[in-house]
Amino acid sequence: MAGSSHGHTPAAWTGVTIAFIGFCVSGAFMVMAQPAGFWAGLGVVILGGVVGWIMRGMGLGQPKDSHVLLAEKRETADVQG
């Protein structure tokens, strides 16, 4: 897995960062016993997934044939190196 670029895209980083913030907000409001804030935090978590999905659709995510592209890069590197 370390040799692949799994998740190293702007779409992945943005979606996960937004979801993490929502998780922290939701956890804080759960401790404070505020249900509305808890649900708002979960809404932010869902928003992170939606934003990541939209960004992937805009071409900022990993291409679908990335495993094929990585294999070709490795073969090229082996031949050159």
Side-chain angles (χ1 to χ4, degrees):
M1 183 77 64
S4 71
S5 62
H6 177 72
H8 296 284
T9 64
W13 280 102
T14 304
V16 168
T17 300
I18 293 171
F20 179 72
I21 291 168
F23 175 77
C24 291
V25 167
S26 186
F29 278 105
M30 182 172 55
V31 171
M32 292 187 287
Q34 299 291 327
F38 169 79
W39 290 109
L42 287 184
V44 174
V45 171
I46 293 170
L47 178 67
V50 171
V51 168
W53 181 69
I54 290 171
M55 289 179 71
R56 180 176 164 230
M58 293 171 54
L60 296 171
Q62 191 162 349
K64 291 193 182 268
D65 295 334
S66 62
H67 63 281
V68 174
L69 294 173
L70 287 172
E72 289 174 5
K73 285 182 186 178
R74 286 188 194 124
E75 289 174 5
T76 305
D78 290 340
V79 170
Q80 292 175 354

